[in-house]
Amino acid sequence: MFYPLALLLLAVTAQASTLTLKSPRFAVSDSTGSQLRGEPFSLTSRTASPVKLGARENLKITFQVVDKEDEKGVQPHQTFIRFYDASTGEEGIQPVRVTPGGKAKFDLNLSKPPLYLPPTSDEPLKVSLIIGTPDYDPLSVQLFDLVLPRSQPAPVHPDEVVFHPRPELYHTFRPEQKVPNKFISLVFSGIALAPWFVLLGLWSQVAPRATGLFSPSILPFIASLGAFEGLLFTYWLKLRLGDVLLYGAILGVVTVFTGRQALSSIAAKRTQ
């Protein structure tokens, strides 16, 4: 019997305590301080009629946070007033300062609208109180609907037009260039190339002739030099640097031996 009773007592003591509000009240006053409306609000239901606040009127909310069991004042860790516009989804949250004795006061002066208020429309803002602190269950109270003057439209930024969709661009291309007749093109190409043919013909008459260039002892050396030129051209097309170095090393060895053979053949002919 002792153990079940002890477990029951432990479960009861482990439950978090409950917070409540003492003397919750709101009041609306004009710029001269005269009270226009004042009444307490309930923790279980929202105030029946919406609270209207003019451009130069003040809203004051007062309450004391107490322990529901012994009614002693409690200073919560977090206390907020939330303004929510259900039509737009915009909200604003403002912390409320609470004294160590649990007393709190919130003032809203529309002569200088605070920044935490969301943009207002024709729909009222839903005002709620949110309280949270360790060792206590959180408390959320729906206070009332607040009707505020409609917000002025936001000023238009001078660069706003830059961030809007721009007209679609359509590119206009020039018509294709007319190609001259092929026969005329061939005639003028021949005229442009004729001096080169004349130059090659005259050069063949005066240039020294390479004797023995295609002899069996010299032709391998000429072929190895041509292979080097072909290797560089192939590298420009598709080969990698590592492949070029490998093939170049092999051709280098071949070129050395064929070059020595060619030089020996030319030296032998000169000594004869």
mmCIF file of all heavy atoms in Angstrom, residues 174-217:
data_model
loop_
_atom_site.group_PDB
_atom_site.id
_atom_site.type_symbol
_atom_site.label_atom_id
_atom_site.label_comp_id
_atom_site.label_asym_id
_atom_site.label_seq_id
_atom_site.Cartn_x
_atom_site.Cartn_y
_atom_site.Cartn_z
ATOM 1 N N ARG A 174 19.915 41.041 -89.434
ATOM 2 C CA ARG A 174 20.055 41.534 -90.797
ATOM 3 C C ARG A 174 19.813 40.405 -91.797
ATOM 4 O O ARG A 174 20.104 39.243 -91.511
ATOM 5 C CB ARG A 174 21.452 42.112 -91.025
ATOM 6 C CG ARG A 174 21.727 43.384 -90.217
ATOM 7 C CD ARG A 174 23.089 43.943 -90.555
ATOM 8 N NE ARG A 174 24.138 42.976 -90.267
ATOM 9 C CZ ARG A 174 25.418 43.159 -90.568
ATOM 10 N NH1 ARG A 174 25.804 44.263 -91.192
ATOM 11 N NH2 ARG A 174 26.308 42.241 -90.261
ATOM 12 N N PRO A 175 19.319 40.722 -92.968
ATOM 13 C CA PRO A 175 19.136 39.658 -93.980
ATOM 14 C C PRO A 175 20.476 39.075 -94.399
ATOM 15 O O PRO A 175 21.527 39.728 -94.291
ATOM 16 C CB PRO A 175 18.438 40.389 -95.135
ATOM 17 C CG PRO A 175 18.769 41.833 -94.931
ATOM 18 C CD PRO A 175 18.888 42.031 -93.451
ATOM 19 N N GLU A 176 20.451 37.842 -94.865
ATOM 20 C CA GLU A 176 21.688 37.181 -95.269
ATOM 21 C C GLU A 176 22.347 37.924 -96.432
ATOM 22 O O GLU A 176 21.678 38.425 -97.334
ATOM 23 C CB GLU A 176 21.381 35.735 -95.680
ATOM 24 C CG GLU A 176 20.904 34.869 -94.525
ATOM 25 C CD GLU A 176 20.731 33.427 -94.956
ATOM 26 O OE1 GLU A 176 21.030 33.124 -96.151
ATOM 27 O OE2 GLU A 176 20.313 32.606 -94.129
ATOM 28 N N GLN A 177 23.674 37.987 -96.345
ATOM 29 C CA GLN A 177 24.425 38.683 -97.379
ATOM 30 C C GLN A 177 24.400 37.884 -98.686
ATOM 31 O O GLN A 177 24.556 36.671 -98.691
ATOM 32 C CB GLN A 177 25.875 38.882 -96.925
ATOM 33 C CG GLN A 177 26.699 39.729 -97.859
ATOM 34 C CD GLN A 177 28.103 39.938 -97.320
ATOM 35 O OE1 GLN A 177 28.441 39.414 -96.277
ATOM 36 N NE2 GLN A 177 28.906 40.695 -98.041
ATOM 37 N N LYS A 178 24.183 38.587 -99.779
ATOM 38 C CA LYS A 178 24.126 37.936 -101.081
ATOM 39 C C LYS A 178 25.528 37.521 -101.524
ATOM 40 O O LYS A 178 26.469 38.313 -101.479
ATOM 41 C CB LYS A 178 23.526 38.881 -102.113
ATOM 42 C CG LYS A 178 22.042 39.180 -101.849
ATOM 43 C CD LYS A 178 21.475 40.069 -102.943
ATOM 44 C CE LYS A 178 19.992 40.336 -102.705
ATOM 45 N NZ LYS A 178 19.407 41.194 -103.773
ATOM 46 N N VAL A 179 25.661 36.262 -101.913
ATOM 47 C CA VAL A 179 26.947 35.727 -102.362
ATOM 48 C C VAL A 179 27.089 35.978 -103.857
ATOM 49 O O VAL A 179 26.150 35.719 -104.636
ATOM 50 C CB VAL A 179 27.035 34.216 -102.054
ATOM 51 C CG1 VAL A 179 28.374 33.652 -102.524
ATOM 52 C CG2 VAL A 179 26.831 33.974 -100.570
ATOM 53 N N PRO A 180 28.260 36.525 -104.297
ATOM 54 C CA PRO A 180 28.431 36.767 -105.745
ATOM 55 C C PRO A 180 28.465 35.462 -106.528
ATOM 56 O O PRO A 180 28.613 34.376 -105.967
ATOM 57 C CB PRO A 180 29.762 37.512 -105.828
ATOM 58 C CG PRO A 180 30.477 37.159 -104.575
ATOM 59 C CD PRO A 180 29.423 36.947 -103.542
ATOM 60 N N ASN A 181 28.386 35.579 -107.829
ATOM 61 C CA ASN A 181 28.405 34.424 -108.716
ATOM 62 C C ASN A 181 29.698 33.631 -108.541
ATOM 63 O O ASN A 181 30.772 34.206 -108.362
ATOM 64 C CB ASN A 181 28.248 34.890 -110.170
ATOM 65 C CG ASN A 181 28.082 33.730 -111.119
ATOM 66 O OD1 ASN A 181 29.068 33.135 -111.548
ATOM 67 N ND2 ASN A 181 26.836 33.420 -111.421
ATOM 68 N N LYS A 182 29.601 32.284 -108.569
ATOM 69 C CA LYS A 182 30.775 31.438 -108.350
ATOM 70 C C LYS A 182 31.841 31.655 -109.415
ATOM 71 O O LYS A 182 33.041 31.635 -109.124
ATOM 72 C CB LYS A 182 30.354 29.970 -108.315
ATOM 73 C CG LYS A 182 29.554 29.589 -107.082
ATOM 74 C CD LYS A 182 29.274 28.095 -107.067
ATOM 75 C CE LYS A 182 28.522 27.705 -105.802
ATOM 76 N NZ LYS A 182 28.247 26.234 -105.743
ATOM 77 N N PHE A 183 31.426 31.840 -110.645
ATOM 78 C CA PHE A 183 32.407 32.046 -111.719
ATOM 79 C C PHE A 183 33.220 33.318 -111.474
ATOM 80 O O PHE A 183 34.450 33.331 -111.617
ATOM 81 C CB PHE A 183 31.685 32.116 -113.075
ATOM 82 C CG PHE A 183 32.601 32.412 -114.226
ATOM 83 C CD1 PHE A 183 33.456 31.423 -114.728
ATOM 84 C CD2 PHE A 183 32.636 33.683 -114.793
ATOM 85 C CE1 PHE A 183 34.313 31.712 -115.785
ATOM 86 C CE2 PHE A 183 33.488 33.964 -115.838
ATOM 87 C CZ PHE A 183 34.336 32.970 -116.342
ATOM 88 N N ILE A 184 32.528 34.379 -111.070
ATOM 89 C CA ILE A 184 33.238 35.630 -110.796
ATOM 90 C C ILE A 184 34.185 35.446 -109.617
ATOM 91 O O ILE A 184 35.324 35.945 -109.613
ATOM 92 C CB ILE A 184 32.226 36.756 -110.529
ATOM 93 C CG1 ILE A 184 31.351 36.989 -111.764
ATOM 94 C CG2 ILE A 184 32.933 38.036 -110.120
ATOM 95 C CD1 ILE A 184 30.264 38.017 -111.568
ATOM 96 N N SER A 185 33.749 34.701 -108.594
ATOM 97 C CA SER A 185 34.604 34.456 -107.436
ATOM 98 C C SER A 185 35.859 33.683 -107.832
ATOM 99 O O SER A 185 36.970 33.986 -107.383
ATOM 100 C CB SER A 185 33.829 33.680 -106.372
ATOM 101 O OG SER A 185 32.712 34.415 -105.929
ATOM 102 N N LEU A 186 35.706 32.662 -108.715
ATOM 103 C CA LEU A 186 36.869 31.875 -109.151
ATOM 104 C C LEU A 186 37.828 32.721 -109.983
ATOM 105 O O LEU A 186 39.046 32.590 -109.858
ATOM 106 C CB LEU A 186 36.392 30.665 -109.950
ATOM 107 C CG LEU A 186 35.643 29.596 -109.145
ATOM 108 C CD1 LEU A 186 35.122 28.506 -110.084
ATOM 109 C CD2 LEU A 186 36.553 28.990 -108.083
ATOM 110 N N VAL A 187 37.306 33.591 -110.812
ATOM 111 C CA VAL A 187 38.173 34.449 -111.646
ATOM 112 C C VAL A 187 39.030 35.351 -110.776
ATOM 113 O O VAL A 187 40.260 35.450 -110.944
ATOM 114 C CB VAL A 187 37.317 35.263 -112.634
ATOM 115 C CG1 VAL A 187 38.168 36.339 -113.318
ATOM 116 C CG2 VAL A 187 36.688 34.351 -113.675
ATOM 117 N N PHE A 188 38.412 36.025 -109.809
ATOM 118 C CA PHE A 188 39.183 36.946 -108.971
ATOM 119 C C PHE A 188 40.103 36.190 -108.010
ATOM 120 O O PHE A 188 41.164 36.696 -107.634
ATOM 121 C CB PHE A 188 38.235 37.865 -108.200
ATOM 122 C CG PHE A 188 37.704 38.999 -109.030
ATOM 123 C CD1 PHE A 188 36.491 38.899 -109.698
ATOM 124 C CD2 PHE A 188 38.431 40.175 -109.171
ATOM 125 C CE1 PHE A 188 36.012 39.936 -110.468
ATOM 126 C CE2 PHE A 188 37.957 41.227 -109.928
ATOM 127 C CZ PHE A 188 36.737 41.113 -110.594
ATOM 128 N N SER A 189 39.706 34.981 -107.599
ATOM 129 C CA SER A 189 40.618 34.170 -106.784
ATOM 130 C C SER A 189 41.853 33.790 -107.582
ATOM 131 O O SER A 189 42.982 33.804 -107.068
ATOM 132 C CB SER A 189 39.901 32.911 -106.290
ATOM 133 O OG SER A 189 38.805 33.241 -105.471
ATOM 134 N N GLY A 190 41.657 33.427 -108.878
ATOM 135 C CA GLY A 190 42.811 33.119 -109.728
ATOM 136 C C GLY A 190 43.709 34.316 -109.920
ATOM 137 O O GLY A 190 44.940 34.186 -109.915
ATOM 138 N N ILE A 191 43.125 35.508 -110.079
ATOM 139 C CA ILE A 191 43.937 36.722 -110.227
ATOM 140 C C ILE A 191 44.753 36.973 -108.966
ATOM 141 O O ILE A 191 45.923 37.366 -109.020
ATOM 142 C CB ILE A 191 43.027 37.919 -110.556
ATOM 143 C CG1 ILE A 191 42.357 37.728 -111.932
ATOM 144 C CG2 ILE A 191 43.802 39.219 -110.512
ATOM 145 C CD1 ILE A 191 41.341 38.795 -112.271
ATOM 146 N N ALA A 192 44.133 36.720 -107.783
ATOM 147 C CA ALA A 192 44.862 36.949 -106.526
ATOM 148 C C ALA A 192 45.978 35.931 -106.328
ATOM 149 O O ALA A 192 47.039 36.255 -105.768
ATOM 150 C CB ALA A 192 43.886 36.898 -105.355
ATOM 151 N N LEU A 193 45.817 34.676 -106.824
ATOM 152 C CA LEU A 193 46.829 33.634 -106.620
ATOM 153 C C LEU A 193 47.867 33.588 -107.739
ATOM 154 O O LEU A 193 48.907 32.925 -107.576
ATOM 155 C CB LEU A 193 46.139 32.264 -106.512
ATOM 156 C CG LEU A 193 45.236 32.066 -105.296
ATOM 157 C CD1 LEU A 193 44.550 30.704 -105.385
ATOM 158 C CD2 LEU A 193 46.027 32.166 -103.990
ATOM 159 N N ALA A 194 47.635 34.255 -108.852
ATOM 160 C CA ALA A 194 48.565 34.198 -109.995
ATOM 161 C C ALA A 194 49.975 34.650 -109.630
ATOM 162 O O ALA A 194 50.968 33.994 -110.030
ATOM 163 C CB ALA A 194 48.010 35.015 -111.161
ATOM 164 N N PRO A 195 50.161 35.754 -108.873
ATOM 165 C CA PRO A 195 51.551 36.146 -108.552
ATOM 166 C C PRO A 195 52.314 35.069 -107.785
ATOM 167 O O PRO A 195 53.531 34.940 -107.944
ATOM 168 C CB PRO A 195 51.360 37.415 -107.721
ATOM 169 C CG PRO A 195 50.041 37.970 -108.129
ATOM 170 C CD PRO A 195 49.199 36.768 -108.420
ATOM 171 N N TRP A 196 51.607 34.280 -106.965
ATOM 172 C CA TRP A 196 52.305 33.233 -106.203
ATOM 173 C C TRP A 196 52.783 32.111 -107.138
ATOM 174 O O TRP A 196 53.885 31.583 -106.951
ATOM 175 C CB TRP A 196 51.372 32.654 -105.140
ATOM 176 C CG TRP A 196 51.072 33.639 -104.031
ATOM 177 C CD1 TRP A 196 49.988 34.405 -103.885
ATOM 178 C CD2 TRP A 196 51.939 33.948 -102.947
ATOM 179 N NE1 TRP A 196 50.065 35.197 -102.774
ATOM 180 C CE2 TRP A 196 51.283 34.919 -102.153
ATOM 181 C CE3 TRP A 196 53.212 33.516 -102.538
ATOM 182 C CZ2 TRP A 196 51.847 35.466 -101.013
ATOM 183 C CZ3 TRP A 196 53.761 34.039 -101.384
ATOM 184 C CH2 TRP A 196 53.084 35.010 -100.632
ATOM 185 N N PHE A 197 51.982 31.758 -108.118
ATOM 186 C CA PHE A 197 52.433 30.749 -109.077
ATOM 187 C C PHE A 197 53.633 31.233 -109.884
ATOM 188 O O PHE A 197 54.573 30.486 -110.159
ATOM 189 C CB PHE A 197 51.275 30.362 -110.019
ATOM 190 C CG PHE A 197 50.191 29.582 -109.346
ATOM 191 C CD1 PHE A 197 48.948 30.146 -109.085
ATOM 192 C CD2 PHE A 197 50.415 28.271 -108.953
ATOM 193 C CE1 PHE A 197 47.957 29.416 -108.457
ATOM 194 C CE2 PHE A 197 49.411 27.519 -108.340
ATOM 195 C CZ PHE A 197 48.193 28.112 -108.085
ATOM 196 N N VAL A 198 53.610 32.509 -110.279
ATOM 197 C CA VAL A 198 54.752 33.083 -111.013
ATOM 198 C C VAL A 198 55.997 33.065 -110.136
ATOM 199 O O VAL A 198 57.110 32.727 -110.589
ATOM 200 C CB VAL A 198 54.413 34.510 -111.484
ATOM 201 C CG1 VAL A 198 55.643 35.170 -112.127
ATOM 202 C CG2 VAL A 198 53.243 34.488 -112.467
ATOM 203 N N LEU A 199 55.810 33.432 -108.855
ATOM 204 C CA LEU A 199 56.961 33.455 -107.948
ATOM 205 C C LEU A 199 57.549 32.062 -107.767
ATOM 206 O O LEU A 199 58.781 31.881 -107.779
ATOM 207 C CB LEU A 199 56.525 34.033 -106.595
ATOM 208 C CG LEU A 199 57.594 34.087 -105.496
ATOM 209 C CD1 LEU A 199 58.747 34.999 -105.917
ATOM 210 C CD2 LEU A 199 56.993 34.561 -104.171
ATOM 211 N N LEU A 200 56.696 31.043 -107.589
ATOM 212 C CA LEU A 200 57.198 29.681 -107.426
ATOM 213 C C LEU A 200 57.909 29.193 -108.695
ATOM 214 O O LEU A 200 58.933 28.486 -108.628
ATOM 215 C CB LEU A 200 56.045 28.735 -107.075
ATOM 216 C CG LEU A 200 55.412 28.923 -105.685
ATOM 217 C CD1 LEU A 200 54.200 28.002 -105.512
ATOM 218 C CD2 LEU A 200 56.435 28.649 -104.589
ATOM 219 N N GLY A 201 57.388 29.573 -109.863
ATOM 220 C CA GLY A 201 58.039 29.171 -111.111
ATOM 221 C C GLY A 201 59.413 29.791 -111.266
ATOM 222 O O GLY A 201 60.382 29.122 -111.651
ATOM 223 N N LEU A 202 59.531 31.076 -110.974
ATOM 224 C CA LEU A 202 60.841 31.731 -111.070
ATOM 225 C C LEU A 202 61.797 31.200 -110.016
ATOM 226 O O LEU A 202 63.003 31.061 -110.266
ATOM 227 C CB LEU A 202 60.647 33.250 -110.919
ATOM 228 C CG LEU A 202 59.836 33.938 -112.039
ATOM 229 C CD1 LEU A 202 59.656 35.420 -111.732
ATOM 230 C CD2 LEU A 202 60.530 33.753 -113.393
ATOM 231 N N TRP A 203 61.285 30.916 -108.815
ATOM 232 C CA TRP A 203 62.166 30.421 -107.744
ATOM 233 C C TRP A 203 62.723 29.041 -108.102
ATOM 234 O O TRP A 203 63.855 28.711 -107.747
ATOM 235 C CB TRP A 203 61.369 30.345 -106.443
ATOM 236 C CG TRP A 203 62.196 29.870 -105.270
ATOM 237 C CD1 TRP A 203 63.086 30.580 -104.554
ATOM 238 C CD2 TRP A 203 62.180 28.557 -104.706
ATOM 239 N NE1 TRP A 203 63.649 29.839 -103.561
ATOM 240 C CE2 TRP A 203 63.095 28.555 -103.635
ATOM 241 C CE3 TRP A 203 61.481 27.389 -104.994
ATOM 242 C CZ2 TRP A 203 63.341 27.434 -102.870
ATOM 243 C CZ3 TRP A 203 61.724 26.274 -104.218
ATOM 244 C CH2 TRP A 203 62.652 26.299 -103.166
ATOM 245 N N SER A 204 61.926 28.237 -108.810
ATOM 246 C CA SER A 204 62.422 26.917 -109.201
ATOM 247 C C SER A 204 63.575 27.000 -110.199
ATOM 248 O O SER A 204 64.358 26.051 -110.342
ATOM 249 C CB SER A 204 61.267 26.098 -109.799
ATOM 250 O OG SER A 204 60.791 26.720 -110.988
ATOM 251 N N GLN A 205 63.689 28.141 -110.894
ATOM 252 C CA GLN A 205 64.765 28.294 -111.863
ATOM 253 C C GLN A 205 66.074 28.724 -111.221
ATOM 254 O O GLN A 205 67.157 28.422 -111.728
ATOM 255 C CB GLN A 205 64.356 29.317 -112.942
ATOM 256 C CG GLN A 205 63.117 28.922 -113.738
ATOM 257 C CD GLN A 205 63.313 27.640 -114.521
ATOM 258 O OE1 GLN A 205 64.425 27.387 -115.042
ATOM 259 N NE2 GLN A 205 62.268 26.828 -114.629
ATOM 260 N N VAL A 206 65.976 29.455 -110.105
ATOM 261 C CA VAL A 206 67.205 30.012 -109.500
ATOM 262 C C VAL A 206 67.581 29.335 -108.197
ATOM 263 O O VAL A 206 68.710 29.507 -107.714
ATOM 264 C CB VAL A 206 67.034 31.531 -109.258
ATOM 265 C CG1 VAL A 206 66.809 32.260 -110.567
ATOM 266 C CG2 VAL A 206 65.859 31.801 -108.284
ATOM 267 N N ALA A 207 66.647 28.590 -107.548
ATOM 268 C CA ALA A 207 66.943 27.979 -106.241
ATOM 269 C C ALA A 207 67.927 26.833 -106.404
ATOM 270 O O ALA A 207 67.898 26.116 -107.419
ATOM 271 C CB ALA A 207 65.649 27.470 -105.617
ATOM 272 N N PRO A 208 68.823 26.622 -105.429
ATOM 273 C CA PRO A 208 69.750 25.487 -105.506
ATOM 274 C C PRO A 208 69.002 24.170 -105.363
ATOM 275 O O PRO A 208 68.032 24.068 -104.622
ATOM 276 C CB PRO A 208 70.696 25.727 -104.319
ATOM 277 C CG PRO A 208 69.892 26.571 -103.376
ATOM 278 C CD PRO A 208 69.018 27.435 -104.220
ATOM 279 N N ARG A 209 69.434 23.181 -106.099
ATOM 280 C CA ARG A 209 68.787 21.879 -106.081
ATOM 281 C C ARG A 209 69.381 21.010 -104.979
ATOM 282 O O ARG A 209 70.602 20.978 -104.799
ATOM 283 C CB ARG A 209 68.930 21.192 -107.419
ATOM 284 C CG ARG A 209 68.273 21.977 -108.556
ATOM 285 C CD ARG A 209 68.395 21.222 -109.872
ATOM 286 N NE ARG A 209 67.809 21.994 -110.946
ATOM 287 C CZ ARG A 209 66.505 22.010 -111.243
ATOM 288 N NH1 ARG A 209 65.674 21.262 -110.534
ATOM 289 N NH2 ARG A 209 66.039 22.739 -112.242
ATOM 290 N N ALA A 210 68.504 20.349 -104.264
ATOM 291 C CA ALA A 210 68.947 19.450 -103.184
ATOM 292 C C ALA A 210 69.231 18.085 -103.783
ATOM 293 O O ALA A 210 68.302 17.343 -104.146
ATOM 294 C CB ALA A 210 67.884 19.363 -102.105
ATOM 295 N N THR A 211 70.510 17.759 -103.934
ATOM 296 C CA THR A 211 70.892 16.469 -104.513
ATOM 297 C C THR A 211 70.896 15.403 -103.428
ATOM 298 O O THR A 211 71.354 15.632 -102.309
ATOM 299 C CB THR A 211 72.284 16.577 -105.138
ATOM 300 O OG1 THR A 211 73.195 16.994 -104.129
ATOM 301 C CG2 THR A 211 72.289 17.576 -106.279
ATOM 302 N N GLY A 212 70.383 14.254 -103.748
ATOM 303 C CA GLY A 212 70.391 13.134 -102.816
ATOM 304 C C GLY A 212 69.402 13.248 -101.692
ATOM 305 O O GLY A 212 69.543 12.555 -100.678
ATOM 306 N N LEU A 213 68.380 14.141 -101.858
ATOM 307 C CA LEU A 213 67.411 14.336 -100.763
ATOM 308 C C LEU A 213 66.569 13.081 -100.535
ATOM 309 O O LEU A 213 66.179 12.798 -99.412
ATOM 310 C CB LEU A 213 66.512 15.538 -101.077
ATOM 311 C CG LEU A 213 65.546 15.985 -99.981
ATOM 312 C CD1 LEU A 213 66.309 16.435 -98.747
ATOM 313 C CD2 LEU A 213 64.636 17.093 -100.495
ATOM 314 N N PHE A 214 66.326 12.331 -101.581
ATOM 315 C CA PHE A 214 65.488 11.152 -101.462
ATOM 316 C C PHE A 214 66.304 9.860 -101.517
ATOM 317 O O PHE A 214 65.785 8.807 -101.856
ATOM 318 C CB PHE A 214 64.440 11.136 -102.583
ATOM 319 C CG PHE A 214 63.495 12.311 -102.514
ATOM 320 C CD1 PHE A 214 63.667 13.391 -103.370
ATOM 321 C CD2 PHE A 214 62.467 12.344 -101.590
ATOM 322 C CE1 PHE A 214 62.808 14.477 -103.316
ATOM 323 C CE2 PHE A 214 61.615 13.436 -101.537
ATOM 324 C CZ PHE A 214 61.784 14.518 -102.392
ATOM 325 N N SER A 215 67.590 9.967 -101.176
ATOM 326 C CA SER A 215 68.421 8.768 -101.136
ATOM 327 C C SER A 215 68.055 7.931 -99.914
ATOM 328 O O SER A 215 67.521 8.451 -98.930
ATOM 329 C CB SER A 215 69.901 9.154 -101.093
ATOM 330 O OG SER A 215 70.165 9.892 -99.899
ATOM 331 N N PRO A 216 68.306 6.630 -99.919
ATOM 332 C CA PRO A 216 67.925 5.761 -98.785
ATOM 333 C C PRO A 216 68.545 6.162 -97.461
ATOM 334 O O PRO A 216 67.997 5.859 -96.398
ATOM 335 C CB PRO A 216 68.400 4.381 -99.230
ATOM 336 C CG PRO A 216 68.438 4.459 -100.717
ATOM 337 C CD PRO A 216 68.856 5.863 -101.064
ATOM 338 N N SER A 217 69.680 6.844 -97.489
ATOM 339 C CA SER A 217 70.342 7.226 -96.235
ATOM 340 C C SER A 217 69.807 8.530 -95.651
ATOM 341 O O SER A 217 69.953 8.792 -94.455
ATOM 342 C CB SER A 217 71.856 7.345 -96.465
ATOM 343 O OG SER A 217 72.118 8.312 -97.481
#
